[in-house]
Amino acid sequence: MDRRSKSAIVVGSLLIVLGVFFLVTRVVPGFFDTLSWPFVVIGVGAIFMVVALVTWTPGLAVPACIIGGIGCLLYWMNLTGEWWRWSYSWALIPGFVGVGVAINELLEGRPLKALVEGGWPILISLLLYFLFGSFLGGISWHGPWWAVVLIGIGALILLRPLVRPHARVPAPKKEGEE
């Protein structure tokens, strides 16, 4: 990937992050009133992501997403006071890994691989989240979530052969052949 493409990705990503921040401040009234300690954790994740983009080390997107995702969970629980939801929210952490892997693959220029390699941990994480949330009383069984997870798993199963074509194994040589 040439320097111009890398610069476009960095600038575009930073603009998206800024846009999401400003969108949240417009949609969530009193957003600045609720700034609290979890923003330190979110900030560390954001710093990792900025370093990943500026130094062009896409592998740092994985810890950035894990740290930032946990920070967002902590922020939401601190805001609502529903700390008991941590009993099943931990299941989202593999999904944060999947988001980081997807960003890493996108930065490496492999969008289809980003979808499959990042999609599996995200879907497994969502499945675990809804499963544990249902059993622990935090999520209703009657929601549309199960259908969405099943659709996502089906899509990834269909896309997987496109990303990893199976290599043919050569037949064993017979005695006397070279």
Side-chain angles (χ1 to χ4, degrees), residues 72-83 85-86 89:
C72 289
L73 283 176
L74 293 172
Y75 173 73
W76 179 76
M77 290 178 195
N78 189 49
L79 185 65
T80 62
E82 296 179 352
W83 291 97
R85 291 190 188 271
W86 188 255
S89 294

Side-chain angles (χ1 to χ4, degrees), residues 19-41:
V20 167
F21 175 76
F22 289 128
L23 179 65
V24 168
T25 61
R26 300 291 289 173
V27 173
V28 180
F31 178 76
F32 288 113
D33 299 339
T34 60
L35 292 178
S36 58
W37 66 269
F39 275 98
V40 173
V41 180

Side-chain angles (χ1 to χ4, degrees), residues 88-104:
Y88 61 91
S89 294
W90 61 266
L92 293 173
I93 294 173
F96 302 149
V97 173
V99 171
V101 168
I103 291 171
N104 178 27

